[in-house]
Amino acid sequence: MPPIMRADARLLVLGSLPGEASLKAARYYAHPQNQFWRLLGEALGEPLAALDYAQRVERLLTRRIALWDVIHAARREGSLDQAISEVEERDLRGFVAGLPELRAVAFNGATAAKIGRRALKGTGLELIDLPSSSPAYTLPFAGKAGRWSALKAFLD
């Protein structure tokens, strides 16, 4: 799926690879149990989860937040990151070079962080590891939201 972005983005949130529900719907974080929109909404102080998808995307763009994934292509049965194989990584270094106002990159989950940190090491960007928004990652919502609140520092 293409990135959600505008050229003056200040924050980039990277996941690993869209799951089955997201690919089928052609929407990021489409699975109803995924907490992404609730978590990001908490960090922004906006009820993103209550909005329809087009409104969510518009709010990200208005707030200068870009959204994409670290993996360009892979094989995977189901939606769990542990099942990902034959990974083709994105050219993240080239992508962020086209975002001159970017201040930080946040990684949604350990797989995104592992790939993204390796790709973006030495760029001078703030790199933030976040607990996965996936329902498979069983940290309670409040614990996840507390960590996701770090994103506030990179927004105007």
Side-chain angles (χ1 to χ4, degrees):
M1 294 189 334
I4 293 171
M5 60 161 289
R6 50 189 256 187
D8 66 346
R10 296 187 55 138
L11 172 66
L12 170 61
V13 180
L14 292 170
S16 56
L17 183 69
E20 290 178 332
S22 294
L23 291 170
K24 184 175 180 179
R27 297 178 179 180
Y28 285 99
Y29 301 100
H31 194 288
Q33 292 180 339
N34 192 295
Q35 298 173 327
F36 177 82
W37 296 109
R38 278 185 64 207
L39 290 165
L40 188 56
E42 286 280 322
L44 299 176
E46 297 189 36
L48 293 179
L51 303 175
D52 68 33
Y53 187 74
Q55 292 172 313
R56 292 173 185 175
V57 169
E58 181 57 36
R59 292 307 306 146
L60 292 186
L61 295 172
T62 298
R63 297 296 294 266
R64 297 171 63 185
I65 299 169
L67 179 62
W68 211 16
D69 291 296
V70 298
I71 298 173
H72 172 69
R75 296 182 76 78
R76 177 174 62 191
E77 290 289 327
S79 294
L80 296 177
D81 282 0
Q82 296 87 338
I84 295 172
S85 64
E86 300 178 38
V87 172
E88 181 184 328
E89 298 175 11
R90 294 202 187 279
D91 175 14
L92 295 176
R93 194 170 282 271
F95 181 68
V96 302
L99 301 172
E101 297 185 40
L102 192 65
R103 296 171 57 198
V105 179
F107 304 110
N108 182 5
T111 300
K114 179 181 175 185
I115 294 169
R117 280 187 168 278
R118 183 175 58 239
L120 297 174
K121 183 179 178 180
T123 59
L125 294 166
E126 183 79 26
L127 303 178
I128 305 161
D129 295 358
L130 300 171
S132 175
S133 64
S134 169
Y137 188 71
T138 59
L139 180 69
F141 181 82
K144 290 181 184 184
R147 300 264 306 279
W148 279 65
S149 69
L151 301 181
K152 292 177 190 177
F154 302 97
L155 304 171
D156 291 334

